[in-house]
Amino acid sequence: MRNKLQLIKDLPIAMKLIVLSAVFIAVPLGIASYLTFTSYSESIQKNTGKYQMDVVKELTANIDTYLNELNLLTLLPYQSPQIMKYLEVGEQSSTSLSFNDRVTIEDFAKRVFANGRVDISGLTLFRTKGGNAYTAMSEEQANFMPRDVRNEIWYSKVSQTGKMVYLGTFNKQGMGLPNQVYSFARKIRSVDTGAVLAYLVLDVDKNIIRNKIEAISNDKKNIMIVDNEGSMIYKSIINGPDAEQIKHFKGMGTVVYKQDNDSELVSYYTSPLTGWTMIEMVPLAVLLQDTVYVRNYIIGIGAVCLLLAIIIFTLFALRITNPISELRNLMKKVVIGDLAVSIPIHSRDEIGQLSQSFNLMVSKLSDLGYRLYESEIREKNAQISALQSQINPHFLYNTLGSISMYAEIQGNKEVVKMTNHLSKLLRYSINSHQSQVPLHMELEHVTGYMAIQQIRFEDKIQFHVRIEPELLSYSVIRFILQPIVENAIIHGIDKGNGYGTISLIGKKQDNHMVIQIQDDGAGMSAVHLQSLIERKFQMTTTEEGTGGTGLMNVHRRIALRYGNQFGVTIESNLKQGTTISLTLPLIESQHEGRKMDA
């Protein structure tokens, strides 16, 4: 990835301008074309959905009108006193019809078949008294036979309501051939007592509803009708939603139905009269066929515009970059020492001003070269003077050694001890060419520093070291323990009652090295502690120590070298003390030296 980015950076400016222009033109043009196409497609889909919903509503209204006529026809027994009388006073166990009863029923059947509004293909009247059933089909001989209505599969559905009930699709034998019909039934009750007298079942040829749908619908293969229980009443769709999906099509709406690789626009409407749901489906591929031409037209125009824009930008980019290329070639000559060059100036724009500056630069190169040479000579002289004025570190060591010997002769052991420790501190500080040292060397440095501080504070400060021996050979960054120990003295012990203990604890934990510096001094309040924790992430020099060697500097040095998972954590309680924990990686030291016993 880095190599690819570098290759892009190394491209000529003209090529970058051409590519950028192509991108900045192609992206907005593509977005605009896409939005135009999708907006057009959504508009067509919305309008078609609205039209499709109107068709579905019209189909539903026609079916409702037809079923309403059929509903009125099922109420015809209430308009025939003879039929009501036959149903009410008929013999309980009669297995045959009397002549008068047969005339009454046949007259009623003729009125049903000849109603002029609804085409009835069959009629069955179940009388509850006697368990007789009269069945008549158009243009066929009627029959009368014992038949208990309670054995019919639809009995439980019809007996629970007084309304007309759709029973389903059945095969009825007619003219010697099976014929599919829709069956509807109604319970006939006594007007006086309300007792159930009979059940009237009317059969309608299935083609009746099909013909009504095909008379209105332009597409005869995209309609389906289901009843309120999800049963299929009519279907002219080869592939459509399954029964589980159809249950969600209740009320009114238009949705996009996806099946396999095809999508279809589905409009559905539930009749408030019958509870039937009319569903019409239109393939989106057919619906959006015209949008394909619009899409291709937009792509063609966009491609032509993009090509013209690239050609124009190419000419414009070359006009800009040619003077820059010429200037680059002249600069190569200047690099090899040819100062007798000059570039003609044709304009006063930025490139013209750059060319003028180049000519002026070449004319002054000789003078600037001499001045640079003179400046380097003076700088070397200054460095020599500075070196001569520096104090040899060995002079400091020898001087401290002389003081130590003189103090020892005088019997002043404290001065001897402090001088020796100070000499070691100076040597450790001056010989800082190594950024990492073994932990035992850093501990020797801190121990020497604390020895001086203990003499200074007259042994008011106790210092304990408990380091696991296996950690002493691992490397740590120089000068990360002494600043924290110094903070413990200044901000912990010294601000307390002047007495205290500082403990330096080291242990191995989760494949890391954890070093803790604990003191029982003044501690910090929660507000002060939070402020100090927030300053860990501020890349500024803290007030703790000079030269950036304070507590926060130690944290940043660790985090920058090893990563943010390592560094300093702080715990403190007011008047109880502070614990500073350093989390470091386990890195084997390459430094050869003795180990210190912890």
Side-chain angles (χ1 to χ4, degrees):
M1 178 61 71
R2 184 174 299 175
N3 293 335
K4 292 181 179 180
L5 292 176
Q6 189 61 41
L7 288 175
I8 294 174
K9 292 179 180 179
D10 294 340
L11 285 175
I13 296 177
M15 183 61 67
K16 291 179 181 178
L17 289 175
I18 294 171
V19 172
L20 286 176
S21 65
V23 172
F24 289 150
I25 294 174
V27 171
L29 185 62
I31 294 175
S33 301
Y34 174 76
L35 293 178
T36 301
F37 173 72
T38 53
S39 176
Y40 179 68
S41 300
E42 290 175 359
S43 177
I44 290 181
Q45 183 173 324
K46 181 179 179 181
N47 293 333
T48 304
K50 184 178 180 181
Y51 168 75
Q52 188 172 333
M53 180 59 69
D54 293 339
V55 172
V56 170
K57 287 183 177 179
E58 186 176 356
L59 286 171
T60 304
N62 277 268
I63 299 298
D64 287 352
T65 300
Y66 182 81
L67 294 180
N68 190 46
E69 296 289 346
L70 185 63
N71 180 53
L72 294 176
L73 198 60
T74 59
L75 297 174
L76 196 60
Y78 292 106
Q79 301 176 12
S80 176
Q82 295 83 1
I83 285 293
M84 296 299 294
K85 182 178 178 182
Y86 161 73
L87 296 176
E88 289 179 350
V89 301
E91 298 180 6
Q92 293 290 340
S93 60
S94 176
T95 59
S96 62
L97 286 176
S98 65
F99 176 78
N100 291 333
D101 290 340
R102 181 177 291 276
V103 170
T104 299
I105 296 177
E106 289 181 350
D107 181 62
F108 169 74
K110 289 179 181 179
R111 290 178 59 191
V112 172
F113 286 118
N115 67 90
R117 294 175 295 179
V118 181
D119 295 327
I120 302 298
S121 61
L123 175 149
T124 303
L125 183 64
F126 293 89
R127 191 176 65 170
T128 56
K129 292 183 178 181
N132 297 326
Y134 173 82
T135 301
M137 299 184 69
S138 60
E139 301 180 358
E140 289 194 13
Q141 184 66 35
N143 63 78
F144 177 81
M145 64 182 66
R147 188 171 167 187
D148 192 352
V149 69
R150 291 173 295 181
N151 296 329
E152 300 294 325
I153 58 175
W154 46 262
Y155 174 76
S156 59
K157 183 188 297 184
V158 180
S159 62
Q160 294 176 2
T161 178
K163 300 180 180 179
M164 182 182 73
V165 177
Y166 168 69
L167 304 181
T169 306
F170 298 92
N171 288 324
K172 292 293 181 72
Q173 197 75 20
M175 302 296 290
L177 297 174
N179 184 29
Q180 276 200 327
V181 296
Y182 296 122
S183 295
F184 301 85
R186 176 186 288 277
K187 179 167 55 179
I188 306 300
R189 306 177 67 173
S190 172
V191 178
D192 298 328
T193 64
V196 179
L197 302 177
Y199 292 89
L200 177 63
V201 179
L202 299 181
D203 299 327
V204 180
D205 193 338
K206 188 176 182 180
N207 293 324
I208 298 294
I209 293 181
R210 180 185 298 274
N211 295 336
K212 288 185 175 293
I213 292 175
E214 293 179 353
I216 299 176
S217 176
N218 294 326
D219 189 349
K220 301 178 182 179
K221 297 181 180 180
N222 58 355
I223 299 292
M224 61 191 305
I225 304 175
V226 295
D227 62 13
N228 52 7
E229 296 180 355
S231 300
M232 191 66 61
I233 297 175
Y234 171 82
K235 181 178 181 182
S236 62
I237 300 172
I238 299 176
N239 295 319
D242 54 27
E244 190 64 28
Q245 292 172 323
I246 290 176
K247 292 180 180 179
H248 300 289
F249 297 154
K250 292 294 182 181
M252 178 178 67
T254 300
V255 296
V256 176
Y257 168 70
K258 294 184 179 180
Q259 55 178 0
D260 299 330
N261 296 326
D262 299 328
S263 297
E264 301 198 22
L265 188 66
V266 178
S267 295
Y268 57 91
Y269 180 74
T270 302
S271 168
L273 177 65
T274 63
W276 291 4
T277 300
M278 178 82 66
I279 302 172
E280 183 176 11
M281 303 177 65
V282 177
L284 283 180
V286 177
L287 180 64
L288 303 178
Q289 186 175 4
D290 292 339
T291 62
V292 175
Y293 300 105
V294 175
R295 180 196 63 191
N296 296 337
Y297 183 72
I298 292 174
I299 292 175
I301 293 178
V304 172
C305 293
L306 181 61
L307 180 61
L308 291 176
I310 291 176
I311 293 174
I312 294 173
F313 251 93
T314 301
L315 297 175
F316 182 70
L318 292 176
R319 184 176 179 85
I320 293 176
T321 58
N322 281 339
I324 298 177
S325 299
E326 184 179 358
L327 185 60
R328 178 197 59 191
N329 295 332
L330 292 178
M331 285 182 175
K332 289 181 179 180
K333 293 183 179 181
V334 173
V335 169
I336 61 177
D338 185 5
L339 300 180
V341 295
S342 178
I343 184 171
I345 300 174
H346 302 291
S347 63
R348 301 301 301 173
D349 58 5
E350 288 81 356
I351 297 178
Q353 296 175 17
L354 180 62
S355 300
Q356 184 179 10
S357 300
F358 172 76
N359 293 336
L360 183 61
M361 178 193 68
V362 173
S363 65
K364 294 184 176 181
L365 268 180
S366 297
D367 183 51
L368 291 176
Y370 175 77
R371 292 183 181 180
L372 179 61
Y373 175 75
E374 184 180 4
S375 175
E376 289 179 352
I377 294 298
R378 291 180 179 179
E379 184 178 354
K380 293 295 183 182
N381 292 334
Q383 290 178 358
I384 292 173
S385 299
L387 289 173
Q388 291 175 348
S389 63
Q390 289 181 354
I391 299 176
N392 192 327
H394 292 287
F395 172 75
L396 289 176
Y397 302 149
N398 294 334
T399 303
L400 289 173
S402 300
I403 295 174
S404 177
M405 291 176 60
Y406 181 77
E408 188 172 0
I409 294 172
Q410 296 295 324
N412 195 334
K413 296 182 180 180
E414 286 78 6
V415 175
V416 174
K417 189 175 180 181
M418 292 182 69
T419 305
N420 290 337
H421 286 302
L422 179 59
S423 177
K424 291 180 180 180
L425 292 179
L426 286 174
R427 188 180 301 275
Y428 185 78
S429 301
I430 293 174
N431 296 331
S432 58
H433 58 279
Q434 290 183 328
S435 60
Q436 292 195 148
V437 296
L439 177 60
H440 70 82
M441 291 183 62
E442 186 73 5
L443 289 177
E444 289 177 356
H445 176 64
V446 174
T447 304
Y449 171 78
M450 282 304 301
I452 296 175
Q453 293 294 345
Q454 286 176 320
I455 295 173
R456 173 192 170 194
F457 285 93
E458 299 178 353
D459 294 328
K460 294 180 180 179
I461 301 177
Q462 299 298 321
F463 182 64
H464 302 291
V465 179
R466 296 194 300 275
I467 302 291
E468 294 180 1
E470 62 176 317
L471 299 179
L472 297 176
S473 61
Y474 289 106
S475 291
V476 296
I477 303 174
R478 292 172 66 94
F479 303 116
I480 60 172
L481 298 181
Q482 184 271 334
I484 300 178
V485 173
E486 182 179 356
N487 284 341
I489 296 173
I490 297 174
H491 300 288
I493 306 299
D494 202 20
K495 288 186 178 180
N497 55 16
Y499 292 85
T501 301
I502 298 176
S503 299
L504 200 153
I505 304 169
K507 55 188 176 181
K508 187 176 180 181
Q509 179 177 315
D510 297 333
N511 295 323
H512 296 152
M513 180 195 308
V514 178
I515 301 176
Q516 294 180 335
I517 297 91
Q518 300 176 348
D519 70 77
D520 54 1
M524 290 179 283
S525 64
V527 176
H528 188 191
L529 177 61
Q530 183 63 30
S531 174
L532 193 61
I533 292 174
E534 292 175 354
R535 277 189 290 163
K536 284 203 309 180
F537 305 100
Q538 298 176 2
M539 299 306 294
T540 57
T541 303
T542 65
E543 68 273 9
E544 303 166 302
T546 60
T549 57
L551 176 63
M552 298 301 101
N553 181 265
V554 171
H555 170 76
R556 296 184 193 113
R557 289 169 61 202
I558 296 174
L560 287 173
R561 179 176 291 265
Y562 303 125
N564 290 330
Q565 68 270 32
F566 301 100
V568 176
T569 56
I570 310 170
E571 298 178 5
S572 182
N573 293 308
L574 191 62
K575 296 182 180 181
Q576 295 183 15
T578 302
T579 300
I580 307 295
S581 300
L582 279 67
T583 304
L584 302 167
L586 295 175
I587 301 175
E588 289 289 345
S589 175
Q590 303 299 324
H591 188 278
E592 294 183 359
R594 67 181 183 85
K595 293 185 179 180
M596 173 183 173
D597 294 332

